[in-house]
Amino acid sequence: MKLNRRVFVGTGMAAATSLSAPMVHAASHGKPKVVVVGGGAGGATAARYIAKDSAGEIDVTLIEPSRSYYTCFFSNLYIGGFRELDSIAHSYGTLASDYGINVVHDWATGVDRDARTVALAGGGSVPYDRLILSPGIDFVEGSVPGWDVSAQNAMPHAYKGGSQTELLKAQIMAMPEGGTYVMVAPPNPYRCPPGPYERVSMVAHVLKANNPSAKIIIADPKANFSKQGLFEEGWQKHYPGMITRIGPDFGGENVSVDPEAMTVDIDGEVINADVVNVIPAQKAGLICGAAGLTEGNWAPVSGHTMQSRMDENIHILGDATNQGDMPKSGFSANSQAKVAAMAVRGALTGSRVFPAKFSNTCWSLIDTDNGVKVGATYEATDEKIAKVDGFVSQTGEDAALRKATYEESIGWYQGITSDMFG
Amino acid sequence: MTKNTGMYASVLGGAALVLGVAYGWTARDYRGEELETLSETLRQLEARNATLAAQIAESDGLEGRIEELEASLAAALQAVEDAQLAAAPPETAAEAAAAESQDTTEVVQTVALEFGDPARGEEVFGQCRSCHQIGQGAEDRIGPHLNGIFGRRAGMHDGFRYSDDMAMMGADGLTWELETLNAYLENPKALVSRTRMNFAGLKDPQDRADILAYLRQFSASPQNIPEAAPTAQAREVELSPEVLQLVGDTDYGEYLASECKTCHQQDGSDQGIPSITQWPTEDFVVAMHAYKRKIRPHPVMQMMANRLSDEEIAALAAYFAQLE
Ligand SMILES: Cc1cc2nc3c(=O)[nH]c(=O)nc-3n(C[C@H](O)[C@H](O)[C@H](O)COP(=O)(O)OP(=O)(O)OC[C@H]3O[C@@H](n4cnc5c(N)ncnc54)[C@H](O)[C@@H]3O)c2cc1C
């Protein structure tokens, strides 16, 4: 990583001085070109910041198959009836019209790292000086025996935004009286550590109103989970008797499903379920593997710049990365995108580069006006992105604070989505 | 009239607090059954107080009734304490009696003297009187009345319209105690950025100590002030002129600010999360240092401010001040 050393002379304010740019872009094609694959929390933010801050000096192309991005964040609130689906959909219109980003609605199918081009499913390829990949997650095959993506209509994961979320909600609303919802929770690491448990809270919230004798079962391979004390306190208070969690000590890691029979086998005990929400084990979005940038399930990156440890012309963001201590969240992906955008501009146009700083806060809703949060700050070391400081909501907080926390999450949602899409 | 009722409700609240505190404090050593009986007594007393409060709110002879109510509350409190003492096993009774004999009023007086001089505080309070009333019959005016201010949650005294910022600080958990009041009096904007309280602050620590000693006489439950220990040290946001005069690097500020913008919207929207665009530089600097020193509540902001150097805070302030 020669580039790293060149860009980051020392630490602290010393690095915050102007650097003479390496100017790596090919002389033949005028303006330096940045291609971003994936228009989610990481990719949309990175594209917007590079376009905005380079003021026309860099040519930015964003490749994203969907015309609307449905956020996974707040998708649980849609399930709980706190948000309309429309309110969590975002278009790429402003990025194109106000920021001059070239938005291409297509899949990237491969990367030629020597020629520095990205191949598109619709044919043709796009050249880059710097490539940014933020493709989110895909699922590890065979991680829940009996389930594969062809079963996702019978047993939705709802762990990518949009139609899956809608399907899961429809199934929950159609549950027979006193029916059973089973969640197969994922092993670490996975996107949004509190996500499955916020989802259970929101499912319980709708069932309590519409189907109060229904049951919720979580089969969980993890001994502990994010904000556990807060969720368990909330479940006890708002949904007593409705939720059962089967952890690994009772066979929660030994689960298989039968999508046709709609049964879940938890350590030999077969449960007939009405809704089965399978959240499988996860890995980096497929394009990372296809480009040869993964080690195990994830793509290793340097925290200083978010550059791939395997190719210094490629930066990888968000859920797909193995970066160190940050949780896989929209907030994290957005935070990493800003560091990458700064590094890319520094490399391509010689703009000033400052030491990387990261942060994350995840809010979760347990019931009406009962919000909790967990957060931390991070900095880059040579090995990884390392946690500096953190906090988590406390059990027993009063109602005013919990309500303020929930309202803050609404403000955050507004903030991050305008930070991504302009 | 409505204001009056609000104020009495707050006196009631204070008295109920006394009951709660005394109860919690003495009852700690008792066994379950006795505790249950006592809680039942307490519940009945609280119910009675609520009824009385309702009657009083309707009645015309407010002054007389409130005194009656206070007397009845005092008697009720005494009854609970007596009951607790009677129910205590002998040695605990002796201990409780011993604790009782160093009576709270005495303790508080000693502390108050060490912390400040209430008589002088009354004089200093003169400059507050045009907006704040205190004492018997005090009502909300330009500012809220200050009876029972210790232990009161910021921005949550019924019937008074607070600035959005004050209400938010209250929701975030700001409670008026010795140290928070001290910080607020020193520099109101350090604690509550856009407070309506149009007051530059009391820079002299002795003035603040005295005024706090004075205010405390009008709070119902002085033993409930944890900071009242003789060793209490008030935290303050005292920024050196060098820190206040640092000129921020707006380029660096712009990068640092990208972190803020995940939550704080650049266009100034402030639903759930306040706007920080176009803040005066000094207010920004003081506010961030108040978070950094954990005088302002709010875990996210304390954490974010905690890792910022003086230069970085100056850079952010400079950037946000010029942002359109
Ligand atoms: C139920 C749930 C709740 C959540 N709640 C929160 C929360 O409250 N707060 C929070 O911070 N995070 C939350 N998250 C996590 C958050 O959604 C993710 O961490 C975040 O979206 C990751 O951003 P990303 O850029 O890595 O991926 P994504 O946002 O998933 O974006 C990836 C994009 O890449 C596109 N893509 C993939 N492959 C290709 C390809 N080959 N070619 C072109 N485009 C491609 C996809 O279409 C997608 O739009 C939640 C997640 C879930 C599932």
Side-chain angles (χ1 to χ4, degrees):
Chain A
M1 284 280 166
K2 253 188 280 147
L3 189 65
N4 272 345
R5 251 175 264 127
R6 206 159 49 216
V7 175
F8 292 97
V9 201
T11 53
M13 288 299 289
T17 50
S18 200
L19 296 153
S20 57
M23 293 294 178
V24 293
H25 60 94
S28 61
H29 52 192
K31 276 200 231 174
K33 292 185 188 327
V34 171
V35 172
V36 181
V37 173
T45 308
R48 178 169 167 269
Y49 270 77
I50 293 171
K52 167 171 83 69
D53 295 337
S54 69
E57 278 187 66
I58 296 178
D59 203 48
V60 183
T61 301
L62 176 62
I63 303 172
E64 161 64 50
S66 309
R67 281 168 200 279
S68 287
Y69 176 80
Y70 287 86
T71 58
C72 282
F73 27 106
F74 274 26
S75 66
N76 288 328
L77 272 60
Y78 160 72
I79 290 173
F82 293 91
R83 296 290 284 219
E84 296 296 321
L85 195 61
D86 286 352
S87 78
I88 57 170
H90 305 270
S91 96
Y92 296 93
T94 312
L95 290 183
S97 63
D98 293 15
Y99 296 89
I101 295 168
N102 179 23
V103 182
V104 176
H105 290 299
D106 204 345
W107 287 97
T109 51
V111 180
D112 183 335
R113 285 164 43 190
D114 294 328
R116 283 197 248 145
T117 57
V118 177
L120 300 180
S125 66
V126 190
Y128 65 83
D129 295 304
R130 285 290 166 119
L131 174 63
I132 296 179
L133 299 178
S134 192
I137 52 147
D138 273 293
F139 301 115
V140 175
E141 271 168 51
S143 73
V144 179
W147 192 94
D148 63 25
V149 281
S150 71
Q152 70 176 12
N153 287 345
M155 296 185 169
H157 50 78
Y159 236 61
K160 296 184 183 189
S163 58
Q164 275 280 305
T165 314
E166 219 179 346
L167 175 66
L168 180 64
K169 169 135 188 184
Q171 290 185 353
I172 291 164
M173 298 313 283
M175 271 169 69
E177 202 183 316
T180 303
Y181 163 100
V182 180
M183 168 183 283
V184 179
N188 288 322
Y190 60 97
R191 86 172 0 170
C192 194
Y197 310 96
E198 181 189 52
R199 173 167 299 163
V200 161
S201 309
M202 292 294 94
V203 172
H205 176 81
V206 278
L207 291 178
K208 187 178 167 185
N210 303 307
N211 191 350
S213 57
K215 291 273 169 276
I216 296 175
I217 296 170
I218 312 167
D220 203 332
K222 303 179 294 299
N224 301 301
F225 61 88
S226 171
K227 304 186 210 172
Q228 182 161 0
L230 297 166
F231 280 114
E232 287 177 347
E233 176 196 53
W235 294 346
Q236 191 71 37
K237 177 171 172 208
H238 301 291
Y239 318 114
M242 189 180 251
I243 302 165
T244 309
R245 177 172 165 270
I246 301 169
D249 40 349
F250 291 94
E253 89 284 31
N254 183 18
V255 174
S256 64
V257 297
D258 183 339
E260 260 168 50
M262 282 301 283
T263 56
V264 182
D265 181 325
I266 304 176
D267 206 27
E269 195 188 325
V270 177
I271 298 170
N272 287 306
D274 301 290
V275 176
V276 183
N277 180 191
V278 177
I279 308 175
Q282 297 162 25
K283 62 179 182 183
L286 295 174
I287 188 75
C288 295
L293 299 168
T294 50
E295 227 173 59
N297 286 333
W298 309 100
V301 293
S302 148
H304 295 296
T305 55
M306 301 307 293
Q307 272 163 307
S308 163
R309 298 236 185 234
M310 296 166 188
D311 188 332
E312 64 178 21
N313 294 316
I314 302 180
H315 301 244
I316 310 176
L317 308 175
D319 291 356
T321 58
N322 173 6
Q323 33 68 24
D325 297 347
M326 294 184 82
K328 298 183 187 299
S329 74
F331 200 125
S332 297
N334 170 270
S335 174
Q336 294 160 10
K338 292 163 186 174
V339 168
M342 175 179 62
V344 166
R345 285 196 304 118
L348 296 181
T349 67
S351 63
R352 290 170 72 186
V353 174
F354 303 101
K357 282 185 196 272
F358 305 90
S359 54
N360 175 62
T361 298
C362 284
W363 285 265
S364 301
L365 186 60
I366 297 176
D367 197 355
T368 310
D369 288 338
N370 186 353
V372 293
K373 61 189 170 189
V374 58
T377 52
Y378 306 85
E379 66 189 18
T381 67
D382 289 341
E383 292 74 46
K384 62 171 186 177
I385 298 181
K387 179 170 166 175
V388 178
D389 191 10
F391 72 88
V392 58
S393 295
Q394 301 298 302
T395 50
E397 287 171 345
D398 64 29
L401 180 54
R402 290 294 177 88
K403 183 163 188 278
T405 303
Y406 170 57
E407 283 165 359
E408 194 174 275
S409 74
I410 299 172
W412 164 77
Y413 186 89
Q414 285 301 119
I416 192 172
T417 50
S418 24
D419 205 36
M420 290 162 63
F421 298 105
Chain B
M1 202 53 123
T2 45
K3 275 180 188 158
N4 272 335
T5 324
M7 175 267 187
Y8 293 130
S10 130
V11 170
L12 270 176
L17 198 67
V18 176
L19 281 177
V21 167
Y23 173 66
W25 171 60
T26 341
R28 219 170 283 139
D29 301 323
Y30 301 120
R31 281 163 289 148
E33 274 176 24
E34 285 151 351
L35 212 66
E36 254 169 55
T37 327
L38 291 170
S39 332
E40 184 46 39
T41 318
L42 189 64
R43 266 194 296 279
Q44 286 168 6
L45 288 168
E46 278 170 357
R48 216 177 92 210
N49 295 338
T51 322
L52 277 169
Q55 288 170 356
I56 281 193
E58 287 164 17
S59 123
D60 288 336
L62 285 171
E63 303 279 274
R65 296 302 300 266
I66 197 77
E67 266 165 34
E68 234 179 274
L69 177 64
E70 272 167 0
S72 107
L73 276 172
L77 170 59
Q78 196 54 53
V80 171
E81 280 176 356
D82 289 352
Q84 285 170 340
L85 272 176
E91 40 331 353
T92 326
E95 272 171 38
E100 199 84 26
S101 72
Q102 303 172 0
D103 191 68
T104 44
T105 46
E106 255 179 64
V107 174
V108 167
Q109 265 163 19
T110 330
V111 175
L113 285 177
E114 278 187 41
F115 198 82
D117 173 5
R120 199 178 157 269
E122 184 170 12
E123 280 170 42
V124 186
F125 187 74
Q127 51 187 308
C128 315
R129 280 193 199 282
S130 53
C131 301
H132 291 285
Q133 297 194 348
I134 195 163
Q136 212 182 6
E139 291 176 14
D140 292 342
R141 281 293 168 88
I142 295 173
H145 77 73
L146 298 176
N147 290 341
I149 185 72
F150 281 88
R152 193 199 276 172
R153 191 78 166 257
M156 294 207 173
H157 157 57
D158 269 351
F160 186 77
R161 236 191 96 243
Y162 291 91
S163 64
D164 290 351
D165 282 25
M166 181 66 88
M168 180 170 289
M169 293 312 272
D172 283 347
L174 180 65
T175 301
W176 295 124
E177 308 286 5
L178 210 53
E179 85 181 3
T180 48
L181 279 170
N182 187 45
Y184 188 60
L185 283 179
E186 194 211 358
N187 183 353
K189 290 197 161 56
L191 205 54
V192 185
S193 301
R194 273 157 298 189
T195 175
R196 289 211 189 95
M197 186 163 98
N198 189 11
F199 182 60
L202 286 172
K203 299 305 166 208
D204 180 353
Q206 192 58 47
D207 282 353
R208 298 198 298 275
D210 293 345
I211 221 171
L212 288 169
Y214 172 69
L215 290 180
R216 200 164 57 193
Q217 297 178 328
F218 301 93
S219 281
S221 50
Q223 78 273 36
N224 190 32
I225 305 171
E227 294 83 357
T231 51
Q233 274 297 322
R235 280 185 292 186
E236 297 169 14
V237 193
E238 245 158 41
L239 299 179
S240 68
E242 296 88 80
V243 169
L244 280 171
Q245 281 155 23
L246 273 178
V247 176
D249 170 342
T250 48
D251 278 0
Y252 190 32
E254 178 170 20
Y255 165 63
L256 292 170
S258 68
E259 268 203 310
C260 313
K261 289 181 194 166
T262 303
C263 300
H264 297 276
Q265 292 182 70
Q266 176 158 345
D267 69 9
S269 316
D270 61 357
Q271 188 191 10
I273 291 180
S275 157
I276 52 175
T277 296
Q278 287 185 351
W279 253 21
T281 314
E282 187 172 326
D283 289 3
F284 194 106
V285 169
V286 168
M288 289 305 281
H289 282 279
Y291 280 120
K292 190 169 173 169
R293 297 186 198 176
K294 304 203 188 316
I295 289 174
R296 284 192 177 206
H298 202 279
V300 179
M301 287 310 305
Q302 289 179 354
M303 174 182 84
M304 299 305 288
N306 186 38
R307 66 167 170 178
L308 294 171
S309 66
D310 294 348
E311 288 80 11
E312 288 171 331
I313 289 176
L316 277 167
Y319 171 73
F320 276 110
Q322 53 87 55
L323 193 64
E324 310 254 295

